[in-house]
Amino acid sequence: MRRALRLLTLLLCMALVLCLCGCWNYTEVDDMSIVAGVAIDKDAADGKIQLTAEIVDIKGGLNQNQAGFKMLSLKGKTMFEIVRNMISLTGKKLFWSHAKAIIFSEAVAREGLIKTMDWYSRDTETRSDVFIFVSSEPTAREILNLNTSKKAILSFELAQMMSDEKFTSTAPNVEIWDFIDKLETSGNHAVAPLIYVHEQNGKKNERVNGCAIFSKDKMIGKLNGKETKNMLFAKDGIKGGVLAVNDIHGVPTYSLEILSSRTKVKPKLVNGKLSLQVRTVTRTGLDEVMTTKDFSGNEGISSIEERASKALRQDIESVIRKLQQEYHADIFGYGEIIHEHQPKVWAKLRDNWDNEFVKLDISVDSKVIIENTAKTSRSIRLGD
Amino acid sequence: MKNTDAALGNRQDASKIPSSQPLSPSLDDNVALFRRIFSNDGTLRVRVIENNYGTLLRCGLIYVDGMTDQDLIQNGITKPVMTYPFKEEDHGNPAKLMEKIRMEIINISDIMVSTELDELVGAVVGGKTVFLLDGYAGALNINAQGWQTRAIEEPTTEKAVRGPREGFTESLIVNLTLIRRRVQNSDLKFVFSDIGTRSKTQTCICYLESLASPDILAELQGRLAQVEIDHILDTGYLAELIRDEPYSPFEMMGSTERPDTAVSKIMEGRIALMIEGSPFALTLPYVFVENFQASEDYYVNYYFASFNRFLRVIGAFMSISIPAVYVALVTYSQEMVPTKLLLSIAAARLSVPFPTIIEALIMLTIFEILREAGARIPTTIGQAVSIVGALVLGQAAVDARIVSAPMVIVVGLTGITTLLNPRLTGPMIIVRLILLFAAFFLGIYGYFFGLLGLVIHLMSLRSFGVSYMLGVGSIRPQDIKDAAIRAPWWDMYLRPARIGTRNMKRKASRKKAGSR
Amino acid sequence: MGKENIPAGQSISIAVLFIIGSSLFMGASGQSGNSSWIAIILAMLLALPLMLIYARLHVLLPGKDLFDMLILVFGAVAGRVLSCLYIWYALHLGSLVLRNFGEFGKSVPLTSTPMLAPMLIIGLLCVWVVKGGIEVLGRSSKFLLLFTFGVIVVVQLLSIPKFQFHHLLPVLDSGWKPVFTDMMGSFTFPFAEIVVFLGAFHALPQKGSAVRILISGTLIAGVIILLVTIRNLLVLGPDLLSSLYFPSYVAVSRINIGDFLTRIEGSSAIVFVTTLFVKVSLCLYAACNGVAKVFKLSSYRSVVLQMGLIMVYFADFIYKDIMQMDYFAHHIYKIYALPFQVVIPVILWIAAEILARKKIRKQKTAQN
C-alpha cells in the first residue's frame, strides 16, 4: 500500500513536471511557413533593407505533387526585425531551416555582407549550409521573382544547380558557412557566385556564371565564367568541367573533360624573398574532336596535352595577375597556405597582407594529362 | 467482503465435520457418509457389488463420474470381484479378505490401502476410485483415473516452420512426459507440490540437478511456499505471484508452450515450472535477450537465424520509437527532416483537424482496438475486422482528412514491428506511450530522456538474483554468442554465463564434426 | 542490501563516460587554436601520475571510499570538514554539468523552453539511477558506453569528407605558452575531475584493480576526447572553433553525405545526454554517499532525492548566462578545482602512506 502510494505520488509529480514544462517549442508543420530562399536588397531611397522571401505554399496536399510558392517582401532596419515582422504578413512563423539559397543584390554586397549575414549565421533557427549568390541584375528579388514565369520553386532549383555545378566549374560553390569561414581566416578572401537572368526566345531563366570578389565582406569586383574556372584551378577548387583546346592553327577543336585536378601551392623562401609556386595536375578525357584529322599515336595526344597545359598555365597566370593588380584581393587563400607552411614569414606579412599579395612572386606550372579518349580510339574517318 | 468470506469459510467447515469421523465397518454407513459429504454433487457414483460364492460378500465402489476410466473399473474391479470364486475360509477375517482382494483380485497397478476419510475424500475428488468392503473399517484407494484431454497439438502461440511440432497440453502428466521423452536422464527432477488453498492445483518444478543453481532453486521453493491464493488456473497466476519487481511491465519469467523450448532452457540450467491445467511452462531465471530468441533460431542455419534475431531487435526498437520519433521530428525538430519529406508531410497534414500528438494517440488506440478485437474473435469474422481496419479506418480516414497519411504509415509500421516480438507486446505498448509523451513534451530530447529512463529501468531489474540485462552491453564474444546473434552450435560450447549455472561446459570443445 | 560491487568493466565504463562527460560537447578550452590536441595529450599524460596516486589510496585503504579515508586519516573532525568540502565539490560539479546541458538546450534545440525543464528531467533520471544503486549505474554505463562509442565512431567516419587537414598546420602556431595554459585547463576539466569517483571507491572489486580502472579509463576517455577535438578542428578550423560554445554540435551539423545523410546533429546530441547523465549521476552518488558518511546515515538512499533536487535548483541559478558559464569553465575553474583534485588527495596520500608504515612497524614490533 505504501509503495503504491509512493508510486502514485511519483506519477503525480511527473505529470506536474510535464505539465509545467510542456510544449514550449511545439509547432505543427502545417502551422509554419517554410522558407525556400531569400533575396536581400537595399532600398536606395531610405537605406532600409528589403527582404524578399520565397515561401513554400503547401496546398492540395496528397494529390498535387508540386508544391506552390508565395512571395513575401518587407522592409526594415535590421534583418531580425523584418523576419519577425513577416509573421504579421503570413500569420505563421517563418521556418528557416530548409532555406536553400540566399541572394544578395550587388549594392548590398558592395556595402558589406556582415550586416545582413550575421543574423543568418548566428540565429539557431537558420542553418549555415545555405548557398549564397550575388545578383548581377539591379535587384536580387527579380531573380527570385522568376519563379512566377517558371512555376517552380526557384531556390530549390538553385540548390540543385549548385550541386551539379561541379560538372562545369564556372562558378564557385559557396555556402554561407564557407563565406564566414573565409572572413574569419586571415590570408583569405571570399568569393560568391554571380547569378543573372538569362533571356532567350522571350523565356527567362536564371543562370549562375562567374563570381563576385570580396575584400573582407565587401564586394569589389567580378570575374566571368572562364576566369572563375581559372581561379578555381588556382585554388584547387576544380571538381570537373571542360577544357577547350585549340588546334595548331588556333581554332578550338578539342574538348577535354576534366576527370580530376589537383593544385599544389608551395611557398618558397629564397634569399629571404618569398615566392609561390602553383602547380596543377589535371587528368582529363578527350571527349570531343571537331576534326577528321587523325590524332592517334603518342605524337598527337602529347601535342594536345602540351597545348592544353600551356593554355591553362597562361589562363591561370592571367587571372592571378588580374587579382593582384586590379583587386588586391587574395581570394586563392595563398596567405593561409603561407601561414601554414612558413609561420615565421607569415608573422611579418599578415598585417599588411593585401599589399604584400600584390607584390608576391607567383609562378604557375600546369600539366594536363589525357587519360582516355572516351569511346572511340580515333577521330571519325571519312570514307572515300 | 469479509462477511462473505466468513460465510464461505463456515460452509466449508460444516462440510468438513464428518471427515473427522472414522470409517465404520458397515458398508451402508460408509456409503451414507460419502453421500453426505458429497451432498448436492450429482457426479458422485456409488456402486454396490455382490459376490455370492459361499457367504454373501458386499463391496462398494465410490467414484466421481467423468474423472474415471469406466472400462478399467469394469474390467479391473467389478468383474474380477464379482466373479472370483471365494472360498469359505476367506470370509473369517475382513482385513485378510481385503488384503486378498488387493493382492490377487483387482488387477489395477496403483492401489493403496487407506483408513483416513480425509485422504479418501481427496482421492475421490482427484478421480480415484474408493473400494469399500462390508465389515471392514478401511478402504482401497484405486487409481483408475481417466478423463478427456486435448490431444497433443502444434503450439499456436509459437509456431515454427522447422522444428518439433508438439506443444504442451493442459494435462500436467502429459507435459512431463513430453519433457522426459527429450531428456532421458535420471538427473532430470520433477518436484511436485500443491498450490491454491482451495483448488489444490498440482505444481511441478522441473530441473536438471547437475545444472540448476541450488540457490535459485531454494529461492523459487521459498517463494512458492509463500504463495497464498485460492486457486490458480494458469501459470500466469504464478508468474505474477512469485516474480521480482512486481511493478515492472516486463516479464520476469519466460513462458513457453513448446516442450523443446522448455527443455533447451532446462539444459541451460534454468528451472521450469508447470501446473496442472495450463499448457504454458514457466522458465526462470529470465533475462532480457530471451525475449528475442525463438526456438526456430536453433534449428535453422545460423546466418539466417542471426539475421532474424537482428530483425527482432530492430523491430522492438522501432516499435517503441517510431511514433515518438515521428512526433518529435514533425513538431519539434523539423530541421532534421529532409526538405522533400517535410514538404510532403506538411501537405498531408494540411487541413487535418487534430494536432499530431492527438492524431498519434487516436491512431495507436485504434490499432490496439483492432488488435484486441482480432485476438478474441473467431477466425471466420477475422476478415471483417481487417476490412474494417484497413479500408474504413485507414483509407477512408485519410481521404476524409481526419488523419494524415504519414501517420497511418507510422502506426502501421509500429503495429507490424510489434508483431515481431509477441513476448514483448505488453511492455512495448507502455514504453511506446511513455516515449510518445516524452517526445511530445521535449521533442527529440524528451525521447532521449525516455530512452535513458528505459535503460535505467531495465538495468535495475533482476530475475531470481540474475540481472535482467546480463550480457547486454557486453562485448565479450561469449556474451554475444546467443544474444545479439545466434552463433553456430559448434561454437556455443559454453552455456550462457549469466544464469548462475553450476556446470558451464556445454560441449567438450569447439570441434566441428564435419570439418577436416 | 548487501555490499555494493561493480566489476572492473563497468567501473571503466563509468570512468570513461564521466571523463568525456560534458567536455564532449563543451569542447576543450581553446586558446591554443590548432594545437589544442597537443594540450590534450599533455593533460592526459599529466593526469596519469595523479591516477596512480588515487589508485594507491585504494591499495592503502582498501574497501574505503574517499570520505572514509578522510575521516580515518585526518580524524573525526578534520576529516568531516574535508568531507564536507568534497560534498560541495561533487554537488557543485554536478550542477555545473547540468547547467552546461541546460545552456545547450536553451541555445540550440529548445530555445523557448525554460532551462529548468530539461535539467530537472535529467536530474530526476539521475536520482532514479542513484537510488537504484551504483551497480545499476555501472550496468547502465557499460551499455551506454558501447552505444556512445558507436555513435562517436559513426559520426567520426561521416565527417571525414569534411576534414580539411591543412587546419592542423602550422603546428604550434602560437607557441607553447597557450598550449600549457590549455593543458592546465584540460587537466582540471575533465581529466582530474575523476577525483569524484573516489567517492565510490568502496564498490570497486578487489585490491589493486583501481590502477587498471583509472588508467584505462583515462586513456580511453583521452583518446575519445582527442579524436573529437581533432575532428572539430579539422572540420571547423581553429578560427571558428574558438568562437563556438558547442563546437561538436556545429561540427556534426556540417556533415552532408550526398544531400541525404545530413542534419544529423540533433540525433548525435543523444551522446551528450548519455555522457552527461553518467557524470551527473556519479557526482550525485558521491555527494549523497558523503552526506551519509559525514552524518552516519544508515543508507545514502534516503538523501538522494533531496540532494538531486538541490543540485538541479543550484544549477538553475549558478550562472547568470552562457557567457558567464563559458568564462567560469575555461578560466576560473582550473584554479578552483586544483585543491580538490590535487592538493587534498596528495596530502591524504602522504598521510595514508605514513599511517600504513606505522601500522606495519607496529605489527613488526608486536611480532618481535
Side-chain angles (χ1 to χ4, degrees):
Chain A
M1 194 61 202
R2 215 175 134 235
R3 263 195 92 169
L5 212 68
R6 263 196 192 169
L7 207 75
L8 208 73
T9 327
L10 192 76
L11 280 176
L12 212 75
C13 285
M14 290 295 267
L16 233 117
V17 166
L18 291 176
C19 289
L20 276 174
C21 72
C23 10
W24 291 281
N25 281 66
Y26 186 91
T27 8
E28 295 284 353
V29 253
D30 41 334
D31 289 342
M32 55 193 198
S33 305
I34 299 167
V35 179
V38 279
I40 296 167
D41 288 305
K42 182 147 192 141
D43 198 317
D46 52 8
K48 279 187 176 174
I49 303 169
Q50 179 168 18
L51 192 118
T52 309
E54 185 183 34
I55 286 166
V56 184
D57 186 22
I58 298 149
K59 56 177 180 242
L62 281 182
N63 308 325
Q64 193 180 343
N65 290 326
Q66 186 89 39
F69 49 81
K70 273 188 294 200
M71 302 300 284
L72 287 178
S73 200
L74 203 66
K75 281 187 203 169
K77 279 188 217 114
T78 67
M79 286 283 283
F80 198 56
E81 185 194 332
I82 305 172
V83 168
R84 279 288 173 268
N85 283 341
M86 271 191 170
I87 296 179
S88 62
L89 286 181
T90 56
K92 295 175 178 178
K93 207 176 156 198
L94 296 190
F95 187 68
W96 291 88
S97 292
H98 285 273
K100 296 278 191 254
I102 172 164
I103 304 172
F104 297 97
S105 75
E106 197 176 323
V108 175
R110 288 201 183 266
E111 199 179 302
L113 282 185
I114 289 226
K115 266 189 205 170
T116 42
M117 206 182 260
D118 180 74
W119 168 77
Y120 207 92
S121 75
R122 183 181 299 274
D123 200 278
T124 51
E125 294 167 39
T126 54
R127 288 182 62 90
S128 53
D129 52 5
V130 50
F131 293 110
I132 61 170
F133 302 91
V134 173
S135 167
S136 213
E137 306 295 328
T139 61
R141 61 178 177 276
E142 66 191 272
I143 309 258
L144 273 189
N145 280 333
L146 281 178
N147 57 17
T148 32
S149 59
K150 296 190 69 179
K151 299 210 181 335
I153 301 172
L154 196 89
S155 310
F156 291 169
E157 250 183 37
L158 283 176
Q160 184 64 40
M161 201 180 272
M162 290 319 283
S163 62
D164 287 342
E165 182 58 41
K166 55 174 179 274
F167 298 117
T168 60
S169 295
T170 51
N173 195 332
V174 183
E175 292 176 5
I176 205 163
W177 169 271
D178 304 314
F179 194 88
I180 290 168
D181 188 31
K182 295 270 161 50
L183 287 186
E184 291 237 349
T185 331
S186 52
N188 213 336
H189 284 304
V191 291
L194 278 174
I195 184 167
Y196 52 90
V197 177
H198 180 78
E199 192 166 354
Q200 199 164 28
N201 302 338
K203 272 190 113 176
K204 283 181 177 177
N205 264 316
E206 75 280 8
R207 176 157 189 222
V208 180
N209 196 3
C211 69
I213 297 162
F214 287 82
S215 171
K216 304 291 174 207
D217 67 321
K218 292 185 176 60
M219 176 174 161
I220 49 171
K222 295 178 187 175
L223 292 181
N224 64 24
K226 187 159 190 298
E227 287 166 331
T228 304
K229 183 157 72 181
N230 296 326
M231 182 271 289
L232 289 174
F233 264 115
K235 63 182 281 195
D236 197 15
I238 288 281
K239 297 260 166 56
V242 178
L243 273 183
V245 185
N246 298 344
D247 68 358
I248 314 164
H249 312 294
V251 183
T253 311
Y254 305 106
S255 295
L256 304 181
E257 183 178 18
I258 300 170
L259 302 174
S260 72
S261 175
R262 276 189 65 99
T263 307
K264 276 195 176 158
V265 182
K266 268 196 190 151
K268 271 200 180 147
L269 205 57
V270 185
N271 301 332
K273 195 169 167 0
L274 190 71
S275 67
L276 277 186
Q277 209 172 31
V278 180
R279 269 167 169 267
T280 69
V281 177
T282 311
R283 297 177 184 281
T284 62
L286 185 60
D287 237 33
E288 190 180 9
V289 180
M290 295 163 74
T291 174
T292 54
K293 267 188 206 150
D294 202 12
F295 62 84
S296 60
N298 277 340
E299 187 59 31
I301 293 280
S302 63
S303 73
I304 297 173
E305 281 179 348
E306 216 167 87
R307 252 175 285 131
S309 307
K310 199 177 154 202
L312 184 61
R313 199 195 69 203
Q314 284 168 352
D315 286 343
I316 295 175
E317 270 176 354
S318 79
V319 75
I320 292 178
R321 299 284 170 269
K322 184 172 179 181
L323 278 158
Q324 278 182 315
Q325 279 147 25
E326 267 183 50
Y327 298 123
H328 316 293
D330 172 19
I331 57 176
F332 308 106
Y334 289 160
E336 206 184 343
I337 291 171
I338 296 172
H339 179 197
E340 279 159 15
H341 291 94
Q342 306 276 356
K344 280 180 196 143
V345 180
W346 175 249
K348 280 179 269 170
L349 298 178
R350 74 181 300 162
D351 296 328
N352 200 17
W353 174 240
D354 283 350
N355 292 330
E356 296 288 341
F357 173 66
V358 175
K359 286 184 270 173
L360 195 65
D361 179 21
I362 303 172
S363 63
V364 181
D365 181 31
S366 294
K367 190 169 186 195
V368 176
I369 301 166
I370 296 176
E371 287 195 324
N372 62 44
T373 58
K375 280 191 287 191
T376 51
S377 62
R378 53 174 177 75
S379 49
I380 295 170
R381 204 176 280 158
L382 297 177
D384 294 317
Chain B
M1 189 73 175
K2 275 223 166 116
N3 285 336
T4 30
D5 248 10
L8 279 172
N10 286 338
R11 197 184 301 159
Q12 195 198 27
D13 290 346
S15 68
K16 257 188 174 169
I17 294 170
S19 68
S20 55
Q21 257 176 252
L23 282 179
S24 105
S26 152
L27 176 64
D28 295 326
D29 285 359
N30 284 338
V31 168
L33 182 63
F34 274 97
R35 282 199 194 280
R36 215 165 61 239
I37 293 170
F38 288 90
S39 60
N40 291 340
D41 182 349
T43 58
L44 187 80
R45 296 281 177 270
V46 177
R47 170 92 160 86
V48 177
I49 50 177
E50 294 181 356
N51 183 307
N52 243 336
Y53 289 93
T55 323
L56 178 73
L57 184 75
R58 293 181 71 231
C59 311
L61 282 178
I62 297 171
Y63 59 88
V64 175
D65 199 14
M67 301 276 283
T68 45
D69 187 340
Q70 294 289 340
D71 283 351
L72 200 58
I73 292 177
Q74 200 174 322
N75 295 326
I77 309 173
T78 43
K79 205 169 157 195
V81 171
M82 283 159 88
T83 55
Y84 188 81
F86 284 102
K87 297 190 183 84
E88 204 52 50
E89 61 262 30
D90 294 333
H91 292 284
N93 188 346
K96 237 179 161 179
L97 182 61
M98 195 64 154
E99 190 62 14
K100 188 182 172 72
I101 293 173
R102 183 167 81 92
M103 300 298 284
E104 295 173 23
I105 301 170
I106 296 178
N107 58 354
I108 289 175
S109 50
D110 184 4
I111 302 185
M112 284 188 302
V113 183
S114 172
T115 51
E116 301 284 319
L117 186 60
D118 257 352
E119 200 184 322
L120 290 171
V121 170
V124 172
V125 174
K128 293 186 175 166
T129 307
V130 168
F131 181 90
L132 297 163
L133 182 66
D134 196 20
Y136 178 66
L140 291 183
N141 174 357
I142 307 166
N143 186 354
Q145 283 170 323
W147 52 73
Q148 292 298 312
T149 56
R150 192 162 60 97
I152 295 171
E153 288 165 12
E154 188 176 358
T156 46
T157 54
E158 296 160 84
K159 289 223 158 109
V161 178
R162 180 168 175 184
R165 301 223 187 278
E166 285 176 332
F168 285 135
T169 69
E170 283 75 4
S171 164
L172 178 60
I173 206 76
V174 172
N175 294 349
L176 296 182
T177 324
L178 289 175
I179 290 180
R180 171 68 86 189
R181 253 181 33 220
R182 287 173 169 78
V183 190
Q184 301 189 350
N185 187 338
S186 64
D187 206 21
L188 181 66
K189 305 293 178 198
F190 297 109
V191 180
F192 280 88
S193 58
D194 282 349
I195 291 184
T197 47
R198 273 159 220 239
S199 69
K200 305 276 186 219
T201 312
Q202 272 194 312
T203 312
C204 179
I205 300 172
C206 179
Y207 61 96
L208 270 178
E209 192 161 35
S210 56
L211 291 185
S213 147
D215 296 342
I216 295 175
L217 190 65
E219 174 73 31
L220 171 67
Q221 277 165 335
R223 286 190 199 180
L224 281 178
Q226 282 176 35
V227 170
E228 256 185 67
I229 190 167
D230 250 12
H231 65 286
I232 46 175
L233 295 180
D234 190 88
T235 39
Y237 282 51
L238 274 186
E240 235 161 71
L241 285 167
I242 63 172
R243 63 174 285 164
D244 308 66
E245 322 283 349
Y247 292 104
S248 168
F250 288 90
E251 294 292 336
M252 288 286 111
M253 266 176 272
S255 90
T256 179
E257 210 185 342
R258 300 181 63 94
D260 52 326
T261 308
V263 167
S264 80
K265 307 255 176 195
I266 289 171
M267 284 306 205
E268 283 179 353
R270 291 189 173 82
I271 300 167
L273 184 62
M274 274 174 284
I275 67 164
E276 175 71 46
S278 167
F280 287 92
L282 291 181
T283 58
L284 57 110
Y286 192 62
V287 292
F288 186 63
V289 289
E290 285 180 65
N291 286 314
F292 301 109
Q293 297 169 341
S295 65
E296 200 180 342
D297 286 357
Y298 301 96
Y299 309 140
V300 296
N301 177 290
Y302 56 89
Y303 291 114
F304 183 51
S306 301
F307 178 70
N308 284 346
R309 195 167 284 179
F310 172 75
L311 282 186
R312 278 180 227 128
V313 175
I314 294 287
F317 184 71
M318 282 170 75
S319 162
I320 57 172
S321 302
I322 290 176
V325 170
Y326 177 78
V327 167
L329 288 184
V330 169
T331 60
Y332 282 86
S333 314
Q334 292 96 348
E335 78 277 356
M336 284 168 65
V337 187
T339 310
K340 281 174 188 161
L341 184 60
L342 184 74
L343 292 183
S344 66
I345 291 177
R349 284 229 8 103
L350 205 72
S351 78
V352 169
F354 305 111
T356 311
I357 174 75
I358 303 289
E359 212 188 336
L361 284 177
I362 291 176
M363 288 306 286
L364 283 175
T365 315
I366 288 178
F367 176 79
E368 296 304 333
I369 289 172
L370 286 174
R371 179 190 57 77
E372 183 61 19
R376 301 276 165 273
I377 52 168
T379 36
T380 41
I381 321 177
Q383 302 226 316
V385 171
S386 42
I387 290 171
V388 169
L391 291 181
V392 179
L393 294 175
Q395 191 62 38
V398 171
D399 284 349
R401 296 212 160 269
I402 292 171
V403 291
S404 61
M407 184 55 81
V408 175
I409 297 171
V410 162
V411 171
L413 256 180
T414 312
I416 290 288
T417 45
T418 313
L419 298 179
L420 280 177
N421 293 291
R423 269 173 246 191
L424 279 173
T425 313
M428 278 197 301
I429 292 175
I430 294 166
V431 172
R432 184 187 306 141
L433 279 181
I434 292 174
L435 288 182
L436 183 63
F437 276 110
F440 165 56
F441 286 117
L442 281 176
I444 199 84
Y445 291 86
Y447 165 71
F448 291 161
F449 294 153
L451 278 189
L452 214 50
L454 179 65
V455 169
I456 298 173
H457 176 67
L458 285 174
M459 291 294 174
S460 64
L461 294 181
R462 279 174 170 282
S463 167
F464 286 86
V466 175
S467 169
Y468 193 49
M469 296 298 272
L470 255 184
V472 177
S474 167
I475 44 171
R476 279 196 328 200
Q478 192 49 41
D479 288 335
I480 295 175
K481 269 180 194 166
D482 198 18
I485 59 167
R486 202 279 279 176
W489 272 111
W490 42 261
D491 196 35
M492 292 200 281
Y493 63 105
L494 294 180
R495 294 196 173 76
R498 18 201 140 91
I499 46 175
T501 52
R502 282 203 254 172
N503 185 352
M504 286 294 297
K505 256 202 168 139
R506 168 142 57 188
K507 277 177 57 176
S509 73
R510 298 177 55 175
K511 217 173 113 195
K512 290 157 269 192
S515 66
R516 255 152 267 225
Chain C
M1 207 70 193
K3 195 180 169 304
E4 291 178 309
N5 194 350
I6 34 176
Q10 298 179 1
S11 319
I12 293 174
S13 311
I14 296 183
V16 170
L17 286 175
F18 181 88
I19 293 174
I20 62 180
S22 47
S23 56
L24 198 64
F25 66 106
M26 282 290 280
S29 48
Q31 293 176 30
S32 51
N34 62 358
S35 308
S36 52
W37 56 279
I38 302 176
I40 286 173
I41 295 179
L42 290 177
M44 194 161 80
L45 294 179
L46 193 62
L48 289 182
L50 193 67
M51 298 301 145
L52 289 177
I53 292 178
Y54 292 168
R56 177 75 188 154
L57 281 173
H58 184 244
V59 177
L60 288 173
L61 305 160
K64 300 262 186 293
D65 60 31
L66 179 64
F67 307 103
D68 292 329
M69 292 174 191
L70 289 170
I71 293 172
L72 196 80
V73 173
F74 296 119
V77 180
R80 286 211 159 75
V81 171
L82 286 174
S83 295
C84 286
L85 283 179
Y86 271 101
I87 294 170
W88 157 255
Y89 178 67
L91 198 66
H92 184 211
L93 182 63
S95 26
L96 291 185
V97 177
L98 267 183
R99 178 60 181 243
N100 285 350
F101 182 74
E103 287 293 352
F104 170 74
K106 186 85 188 157
S107 61
V108 192
L110 300 164
T111 40
S112 48
T113 310
M115 207 190 307
L116 190 60
M119 290 195 309
L120 185 60
I121 290 182
I122 285 248
L124 288 178
L125 285 175
C126 294
V127 167
W128 186 5
V129 81
V130 172
K131 274 224 163 189
I134 190 94
E135 293 175 306
V136 177
L137 181 61
R139 284 201 289 271
S140 310
S141 304
K142 202 169 173 198
F143 176 71
L144 293 175
L145 178 68
L146 204 69
F147 172 77
T148 309
F149 206 70
V151 174
I152 289 176
V153 167
V154 168
V155 168
Q156 200 80 10
L157 291 178
L158 290 180
S159 28
I160 286 177
K162 287 278 175 189
F163 279 5
Q164 290 174 299
F165 287 97
H166 66 86
H167 281 318
L168 282 178
L169 289 170
V171 180
L172 292 175
D173 188 18
S174 35
W176 280 103
K177 204 171 155 273
V179 173
F180 282 126
T181 328
D182 274 6
M183 178 189 77
M184 279 317 290
S186 301
F187 173 72
T188 51
F189 166 71
F191 290 107
E193 281 177 352
I194 196 76
V195 71
V196 174
F197 197 27
L198 260 67
F201 257 28
H202 61 279
L204 290 191
Q206 72 276 35
K207 212 175 163 184
S209 65
V211 181
R212 210 184 108 211
I213 290 164
L214 288 178
I215 297 286
S216 50
T218 311
L219 288 180
I220 297 172
V223 168
I224 293 178
I225 294 177
L226 192 65
L227 283 177
V228 169
T229 310
I230 291 180
R231 178 197 73 202
N232 291 349
L233 180 67
L234 290 182
V235 173
L236 301 173
D239 300 300
L240 272 178
L241 194 62
S242 57
S243 74
L244 297 168
Y245 290 125
F246 306 109
S248 292
Y249 188 80
V250 181
V252 176
S253 77
R254 299 293 304 148
I255 292 177
N256 184 345
I257 307 285
D259 273 332
F260 172 70
L261 216 55
T262 175
R263 304 159 184 260
I264 57 171
E265 68 272 21
S267 29
S268 77
I270 189 170
V271 174
F272 306 159
V273 178
T274 52
T275 54
L276 166 131
F277 158 75
V278 172
K279 190 161 184 174
V280 177
S281 300
L282 189 60
C283 289
L284 182 60
Y285 179 82
C288 295
N289 196 23
V291 170
K293 289 280 155 62
V294 169
F295 297 103
K296 291 184 179 161
L297 302 179
S298 59
S299 166
Y300 69 89
R301 283 186 170 80
S302 52
V303 289
V304 176
L305 185 63
Q306 297 85 322
M307 294 293 276
L309 290 178
I310 289 174
M311 197 183 260
V312 172
Y313 188 57
F314 197 46
D316 196 42
F317 70 80
I318 194 163
Y319 303 121
K320 203 167 86 243
D321 52 29
I322 189 167
M323 273 129 10
Q324 214 178 31
M325 176 183 93
D326 206 52
Y327 184 75
F328 183 87
H330 290 151
H331 294 93
I332 297 178
Y333 186 76
K334 49 186 129 181
I335 300 155
Y336 159 78
L338 269 186
F340 296 107
Q341 295 173 344
V342 183
V343 180
I344 300 179
V346 167
I347 296 173
L348 179 65
W349 167 55
I350 294 169
E353 207 61 74
I354 293 169
L355 273 185
R357 293 276 152 78
K358 258 187 198 163
K359 211 169 155 192
I360 292 170
R361 212 173 297 151
K362 219 180 249 171
Q363 274 173 354
K364 267 187 190 161
T365 47
Q367 275 169 10
N368 295 343

